[in-house]
Amino acid sequence: MATSAKKIFELFVSKVPWTLSSKEMKEYFGQFGQVKKCLLPFDKETGFHRGFCWIGYTSEEGLQNALQKYPHTLEGATLQVQRNRKVFVGQKTNKEVPEES
Amino acid sequence: MAALLRSARLLKCLPSGLCLWPYAGLRHYAVIPEQKGPAKDESSLGVRSKQAQQFDWALAKLDSSVRRTGRVTKTLLMRIFHDICRTGYPSGNQALLLLRSCGSLLPEVPMAERSELARHIWDKLKELGASYDASHYNALVKVFLQNEFKFSPNEFLAKMEAAGVQPNRVTYQRLIAAYCNAGDIEGASTILGFMKSKDLPITEAVFNSLVTGHARADDMESAVSILSVMKGAGIEPGPDTYVALLNAYAERGDMEKIRQTLETAGSTDISLMDRDLMQVVFSLAKAGYHQHVPSIVDLMRHERGYVPDAMNLCLSLITQGHEDTAFSVLKTFPTLQQENESGDSNNLGNFFLRHCVNMNKPVEKLARYCQELQDSNCHAAPLQFTLYCCLEAKNTATALELMKIMKEQGQPIRPHFFWPLLMQHVKDRNTVGVMEVMKGMQELGVPADVETLSNYILPAFPNVAVARDTFKVVCFCVHVTFLADKENVTFWEHLAGLEENQLELSLSAPQSHPPTHSHGPGVTFYVLVSISVSLLSTEGVSYFLYNLIDSMSEAEVQAQEEKLRQYFNQLKSMNIVIPVNIYRGIRNLLDSYHVPELIKVSSDSPSTRKLAELKAEGKPVGPTLKQLILSLCSEEKLDAALELKSQHAADMATGGYAALIHLCCRHNNVDEALKLKGELSHKDPSVSLDSTKSIALVKALVKHDRMEEAVDLLKEMKEKDVSVVDTAVTLLFHTLNAAALKGDVAAVRQLQATVFTLGLTKPTANLCSPLITAHLQTKDLSGALDAAMECQKQYGHLPRIHDVICGLVENGDTELLQKAMDFVSQERGEMTMLYNLFFAFMQTGRHREARKIIETPGLRARAGRLQWYAEKCVAANQMESLESLVEMTAKLFECDRDEMYHYLLRLCKNTNDWRKAEATWTKMQEENVIPRERTLRLLADILRSNGQEVPFEVIVKCSSYVSCSCLVCACRSLFHSSLCSEAYSELKNMDRKGEALGPSPYSALIRALLAEGNMEDALEVQKIATTHIPHFKLNDIANSLLIITQAKKNLTKDALATLKSMLQADQVPSKLSITRLVQSLGSHGDIAGIQDVEALMKGLGNPLNLSPMMFVNNTAIARIKNGDLDSAVEGLEAIYTSAGEGSQPASMAFVFRKVLEEKNITALDKLSAMAERLANHFASYGPASDLFIQLMDAGMKEEAKFMLARCSAVAEQREALVSYMSRLSRTPGQLCFLALSLLLILSFSFSLNFFDWVCLTVLARSTALDNDLASAKALYQQMQSEGVEADELCLKRLAKLYKSAGESVPFTEPPVSVSLHMPFKFQAHNIHM
């Protein structure tokens, strides 16, 4: 039923300033490749996001492009960007923007 | 020497003194964000902290916050206060800690509020049974003084006396200060009179207060004259005196006098710290002389610790309404020069902005501060940060204003900026608040996007319709119109999306973990034993045995004693001998487990007779001989051993020689040892002695001045590559030290050089020290210093430098001392040098010089060094030296005062000097030190053992073994019920003997008993506890358990009463306890009771998140129970019909289940009629599907079928049915067929579609779980006949089933990597489960 086994090309971004929302993150990281997924969890108690974010690219290329740039400065703040190591499970704050390509 | 002191005082100019600076600063900034907005109301705080249950952690945090930053946040304080209230037994020092924290430690809280807080805490803790002693009263006065709270000292004294607490010197001192602060010299004199009549010493503090007193009485002349009075009384005016005087001038704005006073102070060698000057700044600001503040601020030297102090000053100033002054102080903060490497920008002043927001300062000011901070490059994004603080504090008005300013500056404003504000309103269901924020959004031109609407706006309204109406009313059209027009579609789609999410959640509900089988130790044990015996070698068995016993707990070993014994015997019968060292290890373990009987792995000592026998028989005697020699050696029988050796020289092995050589060394018989060694190497040149024995031989050689041979031996060790063990290193040190004590510098040097150059061991401070010792022994200080310097250069160690410096100070050899100090500060830094000098002065009794050193600005406490010296004093019984150490370090930055006083008390304990101990306690109060419990215990111990009354309450410490074990058992009893009853009987025994415990063991035991449902015993324990502890109360966990137990035992009235008393005591019941209580009330038909509970729960500050249906369902049950079927049906029906569309009330399955369980057919008929009515007429399908599922669950398939026929809509209740199916599929076994039949029922009622497909997947999974191939086959056939395409996963599972049953797979098996790409999201979830 499924066409091919899909690999995930994900970044883990931390130190995201509170002023940015997933829209801005997606726009910014979109310059390196097509962003399939942008997950910036918000805390339902406080209304602020938690300061970290996952960016999923459709291809390895986008991921590599993003990793090669240093530093990632967005609106005066330096984001910490690394390849996502842990698979993220059990997301309760559903801020997912899934987009089928 | 004077030059030295001068150079020390100039420390702050040295670059190395400054280098630590920014870090200290950074850390303190980092501390700030832990405060979170304004304090929430008390009850919600209480609940939150209760959940955290981290009381000890919080207490330590408070303590460390005070020690490190000089302040605490109100949130933290309140949290700890509530924790203490909840646990119910405030101890003396907890109370002291809380009370003390209500003064200047709360710079962020207005003074009046602080005093109010102190009173509140005082009363509340008293109510909870805290007993107050003089230290508490003193702390309260101090807090009043700090808060400038007006009170009558005389009344205070009267109250104290009425409470039976004797005021002490500190009390009087502080009351004098209280009078003086009000300018009441007469009042102060009366108290002075009391002091004189009681023959209490008048200290500097009293005079300082009098300076303030006269000044406040507008008599500066008398104020100044106090200084000469002091001198006349033999008390030198200290820094505090000058601060009092300076404050007096500051209150008058007299800068000229301030300058003069500062000069005078400087000329009399009084050093005023930055902290002192900050007081002057505060006085100036309060008196309205803002203009003079900068000139004082300029005088500050930015000592270490400046930043936290200055932050506190700023916070206080802001709180008092002098934010502009605070800002001018902030601007003098040393800017953090280097930005960190990642390029993160500065954020100086975060704490300032946050506090301004919290204090509701006007927006214009905030904007100005932000602008200045940004312009001066102190802060990269101050406006954004300020906005963040506003949002955090839910300060809507200021936040909106700030956003306007940001917008004007061209900064983006985004929808999610409003979420924190909306969040709160959504929680409160405050539609007016939501509208206000939305209006603000509109004004700022920020459209509310779909996310904002659906997550943060709509949930505040009861339903969409109301929201739409509200929006219409305020003509909120521009961005929200799509609610009504074509974009509606998007929105509804989004809502639909939400529903899907919920579905997803219900499917991904946590899977129940398989019950963990804790293998009893017995099982493991047997398995292991059999393995070990059959597989392992002798040594393996020994190690196994050791590890086995090591891994078993004491209780296990005791329980398995018999088995272990069998095992030992078995081993013995198998002729397995355990090597001695492992045997020792095992013996130690068994000893520590208190099973000494087990130590019977006896090793029969062979006798000489046996040896002879063996020899006669011509058998090899080697091992026996060795054992014999070893045993002779251990008995120190040198001659016998040597004789034995000579008899059997041919059979001697290495081990025997080694033991003999060692023995010779011990007996100082070097020649014999060397001879033996010669024999040994003759026999086997490759053999080498182990390091311990070699070094022992070296030691013996050195003792006899046979240096050459010793060095040769060391070289030989290196050649033979002997690894040096720790004990050998220690031995080596003793060797060197022995030589050093003889003053033999050359020998020590030679040995040291050999050892280190050979690399036998790493040079350590300890190993280096004998060289210096040797020099010191010959009184050659210069040589000692040179040697120490040489060690530092060569090996990086500076051994015995303290002794060297002491010697130099003693001799007054300034030149050498200078050299030493230069060297130390160059190699180890200024700080180490200062400490070295300080301790040298202390050691030699030059306390004046020592004081100068320790008061060096910028010096901070080094706990390790202070401990070292204090321990030295304690060990050497040097009370005077220790006392001055404690006194001198009073103002040392970051000095742990309790620790210091603890040293002092330990020495008092050693000397059994209770008077000194009592005086120490008074001093601690004077200094506002919060003693740790161990300090109080020590103090109480000293007083008690001298027959003195202990003037404070001490925590009962479980001293006896019994009570400890009782506590431990009680805690563990949650898992071992037998232990629980044991603990209970133990406790009763103790009670009979009149022994009491602290409240926590009682409480633990009660909880444990209740957890078992053993209410009678629990109440008995409570009774016992109450007799010992008058204020003993159950805590909330225990009370909740009590409610559950009572409910279970059908004592509903009692349970209700317990709940009421709990709520009165501000305790929070557990959710489970309420549920059980309401259920019990329901089954008793007690409608009023249920209503009672519901009302009580609504009154709770922070709701427990109970389902409202619980009350509804149980009310219905109660009505049914009372035979009032009609009103039960009416009540339920009303709930379902009144609920708007979209918000379906939760399930009433509970009612159906109960009715089915009780087989109440009449009720069932009525209820099912109601469910059908609701489904068919009101489109409310919840009850019908609940009923259907309950029928299925009860195995009433026929009824379910009929029901479905009558009410076909049930089959469309996807969500309910799918979650039911998935629940079923997770229960392996019997229900599978039930589910199958459900599927059959459903399949005829409507066509197969995606939904059925889900069911099939679920089913396939459940059959796979059961390994039930037959049903799986049937299922697959059915799927095929129905034309359902089985997905890969389904097929994969089937294939696996076939394979595991050994049958061939009748279809093409999908490839190995099953893709997780599923057409629907929740299936993917399903697979993950």
Side-chain angles (χ1 to χ4, degrees), chain B residues 312 676 763 842 927 973 1004 1027 1215 1260 1265 1306:
Chain B
N312 291 338
L676 284 165
M842 290 295 290
E927 222 189 276
S973 58
T1027 55
E1215 199 178 317
L1265 267 181

Side-chain angles (χ1 to χ4, degrees), chain B residues 1255-1269:
Chain B
C1255 295
L1256 292 176
T1257 318
V1258 168
L1259 260 173
R1261 198 164 159 266
S1262 84
T1263 46
L1265 267 181
D1266 291 347
N1267 269 337
D1268 183 353
L1269 184 62

Side-chain angles (χ1 to χ4, degrees), chain B residues 1248-1279:
Chain B
L1248 276 164
N1249 55 12
F1250 142 75
F1251 166 54
D1252 297 77
W1253 193 87
V1254 176
C1255 295
L1256 292 176
T1257 318
V1258 168
L1259 260 173
R1261 198 164 159 266
S1262 84
T1263 46
L1265 267 181
D1266 291 347
N1267 269 337
D1268 183 353
L1269 184 62
S1271 350
K1273 270 182 186 167
L1275 177 68
Y1276 183 59
Q1277 264 168 14
Q1278 198 189 351
M1279 282 167 82

